[in-house]
């Protein structure tokens, strides 16, 4: 999607994705003290809004984008907070707890993207948050087995209890009937958020409309991929096809 954008927004989105990827790498795979590394990166980030030159090359590229588009620091800081939370939190008791994590780990990216396109109104931002939370949820549902191996469970513990799914079920090669039922419920819940948030496409124009429609279509295609195996996220890799994503993108843009 980025390849078709003109130079200015493409450079801005590249800088944002580079920033998000770097924060995730510090939180997930930094070989030393990850908490200390994230705090140091946060201090370097703050130099941008202090009118100083950051040390990290990713932040130096980001500084130009922040200045060009007058971006606020809060979304960038929230991504770091999400990764700091990852260092100590491996379970979420309720869906609202998980949604709170998504407000740190996912919603800020949508706000950054809107900022690059100069979009700044409360309703569009609300719809963006719905889309981003939904995208984060379906990514978690794709990676249930992988996250379990890493010692993490993003399925709300209250939902596991409601559906009678012990944590040990997540270690099996195939999903139990109870887990399949739970995953169908969680996928449908994410899909409802995505469907509501999809109205954002109609509020945007030009390259912003195409870019955000691409995110929405990718999420919708992932929902379809999750539904195909009937909730068995342990033995099937739920990955959307490019053809499915393209069809949904064209549909979203044409509305």
């Amino acid at each position: 999607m980025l390849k078709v954008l003109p130079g200015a927004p493409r450079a801005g989105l590249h800088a944002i994705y580079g920033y998000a990827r770097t924060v995730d790498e510090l939180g997930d795979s930094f070989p030393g003290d990850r908490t200390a590394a994230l705090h140091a990166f946060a201090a370097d980030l703050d130099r941008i809004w202090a009118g100083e030159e950051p040390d990290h090359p990713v932040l130096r590229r980001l500084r130009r984008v922040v200045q060009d588009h007058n971006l606020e620091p809060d979304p960038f800081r929230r991504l770091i907070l999400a990764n700091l939370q990852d260092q100590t939190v491996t379970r979420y008791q309720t869906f609202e707890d998980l949604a709170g994590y998504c407000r740190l780990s996912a919603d800020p990216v949508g706000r950054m993207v809107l900022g690059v396109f100069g979009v700044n109104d409360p309703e569009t931002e609300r719809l963006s948050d719905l889309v981003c939370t939904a995208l984060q949820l379906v990514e978690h549902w794709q990676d249930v087995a992988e996250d379990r191996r890493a010692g993490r469970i993003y399925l709300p513990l209250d939902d596991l209890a409601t559906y009678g799914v012990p944590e040990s079920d997540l270690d099996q090669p195939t999903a139990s009937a109870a887990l399949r039922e739970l995953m169908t419920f969680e996928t449908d819940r994410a899909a409802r958020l995505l469907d509501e948030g999809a109205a954002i496409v109609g509020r945007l124009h030009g390259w912003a409309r195409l870019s955000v429609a691409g995110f929405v279509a990718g999420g919708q295609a992932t929902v379809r991929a999750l539904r195909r195996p009937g909730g068995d996220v342990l033995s099937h890799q739920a990955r959307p096809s490019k053809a499915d994503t393209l069809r949904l993108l064209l549909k979203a843009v044409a509305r």
Side-chain angles (χ1 to χ4, degrees):
M1 181 62 66
L2 286 181
K3 293 179 181 179
V4 305
L5 295 178
R10 183 172 68 248
L13 295 185
H14 269 301
I16 286 170
Y17 296 153
Y19 172 80
R21 185 171 59 251
T22 300
V23 174
D24 285 345
E25 288 172 352
L26 289 173
D28 291 340
S29 57
F30 183 74
D33 186 333
R34 295 173 185 173
T35 297
L38 287 164
H39 280 301
F41 193 71
D44 201 18
L45 171 72
D46 285 344
R47 291 189 175 98
I48 294 176
W49 286 273
E52 302 171 3
E53 183 77 3
D55 294 329
H56 200 289
V58 163
L59 295 179
R60 288 199 292 271
R61 288 192 293 273
L62 181 65
R63 184 188 183 203
R64 293 191 292 271
V65 175
V66 167
Q67 292 172 335
D68 289 345
H69 300 281
N70 195 29
L71 302 181
E72 296 294 327
D74 179 68
F76 297 92
R77 291 171 177 161
R78 279 196 279 158
L79 281 188
I80 295 177
L81 290 175
N83 277 268
L84 285 169
Q85 186 166 305
D86 284 338
Q87 307 312 306
T88 57
V89 179
T90 60
R91 306 285 192 281
Y92 291 90
Q93 187 67 42
T94 68
F95 179 75
E96 182 51 41
D97 293 337
L98 180 60
Y101 171 71
C102 292
R103 286 192 284 272
L104 295 177
S105 65
D107 297 3
V109 176
R111 299 296 186 95
M112 296 173 198
V113 170
L114 291 180
V116 165
F117 289 109
V119 178
N120 181 23
D121 74 83
E123 178 60 11
T124 304
E125 290 175 346
R126 183 187 75 84
L127 295 172
S128 172
D129 290 347
L130 289 172
V131 170
C132 290
T133 289
L135 293 177
Q136 180 76 85
L137 291 175
V138 295
E139 181 179 339
H140 287 325
W141 306 159
Q142 286 176 294
D143 297 334
V144 167
E146 179 182 339
D147 289 334
R148 172 63 172 174
R149 289 192 293 270
R152 298 183 181 280
I153 296 177
Y154 289 102
L155 290 163
L157 300 184
D158 283 358
D159 293 347
L160 289 172
T162 296
Y163 282 83
V165 180
E167 289 190 11
S168 57
D169 274 12
L170 306 181
D171 299 320
Q172 304 305 312
T174 60
S176 65
L179 179 56
R180 290 197 301 273
E181 187 177 358
L182 170 58
M183 293 314 306
T184 297
F185 167 76
E186 300 291 5
T187 300
D188 289 346
R189 177 152 60 180
R192 287 193 297 273
L193 293 176
L194 186 59
D195 288 344
E196 181 180 352
I200 190 175
V201 177
R203 299 178 64 87
L204 300 173
H205 306 279
W207 294 111
R209 181 183 178 94
L210 180 62
S211 298
V212 173
F215 294 126
V216 172
Q220 292 171 333
T222 302
V223 166
R224 291 188 177 191
L226 284 165
R227 284 172 171 163
R228 286 188 196 108
D232 187 356
V233 293
L234 300 184
S235 64
H236 293 80
Q237 195 77 358
R239 293 291 180 260
S241 70
K242 291 182 179 179
D244 211 10
T245 303
L246 179 58
R247 282 194 296 270
L248 290 164
L249 170 60
L250 295 174
K251 182 179 179 181
V253 172
R255 284 179 179 173

